[in-house]
Every structure is written in C-alpha cells, then in structure tokens.
Amino acid sequence: MGYHELIASLRREGEEQADEIRRTAVAEADRIKVESVAELQALRDGYARRRADAVAAEEGRLAADSRRQAERIRLYAEAALVERLYGLAQDCLAELRDERYAGQFARLVGELLPCAWATVRVNPVDVELARSHFPHARIEPDGAISGGVRVSGEGGRLTNDNTFEKRLERCWPELATDVTATVLRLV
C-alpha cells in the first residue's frame, strides 16, 4: 500500500470514527434530553400534587374555620334570642292576672309550707288578697312581682318565693328549648 492510500485509508477510518462519535454523542444527547424532560415532568407533577394537597388542606382548614365561626354565630344568635324571649315572657306574666287570678293566688299560697310567715311580699294590687291569706304577717307591696307571693319567716332564715317570676325562672331552661324551636320554625 502506498503512502497516499495509507493516508486516504486513515482519513476514512478517522471520518468513520468521527461519524461514530458524532452519532454516539447525538444519541447520548437525545437520551439525556428525553431523561431531562421526563425528570422535569416528574418534578412538575410532584409540585402539582403537593400544591393540590396544600390547597385541599387549606380549603379544609378554611371550611372548618367557617363552620366553627358559623356555629359560634348561630349559638350567639340563639342565646340572644333565648334572652329576648325570656324578657318577653317576663313582660307577659302580668297577663296571667285575669278573672281567675284569685284562685291562682290561693293555689300558690297553698303550695307554701305551713309556717307562721312574718313578711309577705306581693304585687301592690294583691295587698288586700294577701291580708286575707296572711292575717298576722306584715304585707309589703313589691312592684317587681307580677303575681304570686314571696314570703319569709323565722327572722329571715326561712324564705319561699312562689311568684310568677320565680316559677318562670325555674321552668325556663326546659321551656326555652321548645319556645326557641317554635319561634325558629316560624321564621
């Protein structure tokens, strides 16, 4: 083989090796690009999942906070309604003083312990009625009493409050639930 042929042969081999290196480099670059795109997509998917999870968690927290706040507002409104209804019920106690009141008064007096009551407090209109039931007691008019009687004896150690106000106060916790439910159904 001659010198020119040797150089041509080496040149061909060098070009073939260079082509092979270029093909390998292009293939490796393509493989790296595909892997990079896949890794980038995996990162995007991971961040998207984490963001979605974070958004869902925040939505859940906000929804729970909203429910708690709404419940607090509802309870506050219900308490205010119960208080208002109690005030209205107290205002209506005077309406119980109708033509049957003398009998009601006698029943309230009959519920008291048999005792020598020293002081009897009643609505100013009931002073004479109280004198007929408690002839030996000091009768004191009390405008805060709409009906019924508040008595004390034995130097103030023994007392009994059998007024409309006290009876309403005692039954209000049970009554409030029913009254509030009825009012809320009407609204």
Side-chain angles (χ1 to χ4, degrees), residues 86-154:
Y86 184 68
L88 290 172
Q90 286 177 316
D91 292 345
C92 292
L93 290 176
E95 295 176 23
L96 297 175
R97 302 178 59 86
D98 57 14
E99 64 279 350
R100 298 169 293 171
Y101 178 69
Q104 290 173 342
F105 187 86
R107 280 190 295 281
L108 293 172
V109 169
E111 292 175 0
L112 298 173
L113 293 172
C115 180
W117 299 108
T119 305
V120 177
R121 284 192 162 88
V122 293
N123 183 288
V125 176
D126 297 337
V127 170
E128 290 306 315
L129 186 58
R131 281 192 215 286
S132 68
H133 288 280
F134 303 97
H136 303 294
R138 184 177 70 235
I139 309 298
E140 295 181 1
D142 186 342
I145 297 174
S146 61
V149 61
R150 184 178 302 131
V151 294
S152 64
E154 297 184 18

Side-chain angles (χ1 to χ4, degrees), residues 1 3 6 29 33 58 60 63 88-89 112 123 149 155 169 180 186:
M1 174 182 304
Y3 168 80
L6 179 60
K33 281 181 189 176
E58 186 65 13
L88 290 172
L112 298 173
N123 183 288
V149 61
E169 180 185 323
T180 304
L186 297 174

Side-chain angles (χ1 to χ4, degrees), residues 19-175:
D19 285 344
E20 182 61 30
I21 290 171
R22 271 194 286 275
R23 278 192 302 273
T24 302
V26 167
E28 182 65 17
D30 289 344
R31 184 188 64 75
I32 290 172
K33 281 181 189 176
V34 168
E35 285 178 4
S36 295
V37 167
E39 286 178 26
L40 186 58
Q41 188 59 45
L43 284 172
R44 284 185 183 137
D45 292 346
Y47 285 129
R49 274 191 306 278
R50 279 185 249 151
R51 186 181 70 210
D53 291 347
V55 167
E58 186 65 13
E59 285 174 346
R61 187 188 66 73
L62 289 173
D65 287 349
S66 296
R67 282 191 300 274
R68 279 191 297 275
Q69 186 175 4
E71 183 64 13
R72 263 194 311 275
I73 290 168
R74 187 191 65 75
L75 289 173
Y76 175 77
E78 189 174 298
L81 176 62
V82 167
E83 186 176 323
R84 177 71 176 127
L85 290 172
Y86 184 68
L88 290 172
Q90 286 177 316
D91 292 345
C92 292
L93 290 176
E95 295 176 23
L96 297 175
R97 302 178 59 86
D98 57 14
E99 64 279 350
R100 298 169 293 171
Y101 178 69
Q104 290 173 342
F105 187 86
R107 280 190 295 281
L108 293 172
V109 169
E111 292 175 0
L112 298 173
L113 293 172
C115 180
W117 299 108
T119 305
V120 177
R121 284 192 162 88
V122 293
N123 183 288
V125 176
D126 297 337
V127 170
E128 290 306 315
L129 186 58
R131 281 192 215 286
S132 68
H133 288 280
F134 303 97
H136 303 294
R138 184 177 70 235
I139 309 298
E140 295 181 1
D142 186 342
I145 297 174
S146 61
V149 61
R150 184 178 302 131
V151 294
S152 64
E154 297 184 18
R157 290 183 296 138
L158 184 60
T159 62
N160 195 327
D161 189 343
N162 206 9
T163 61
F164 288 171
E165 287 78 12
K166 185 53 94 171
R167 291 172 79 87
L168 176 63
E169 180 185 323
R170 286 183 192 129
C171 75
W172 186 250
E174 290 177 29
L175 191 59

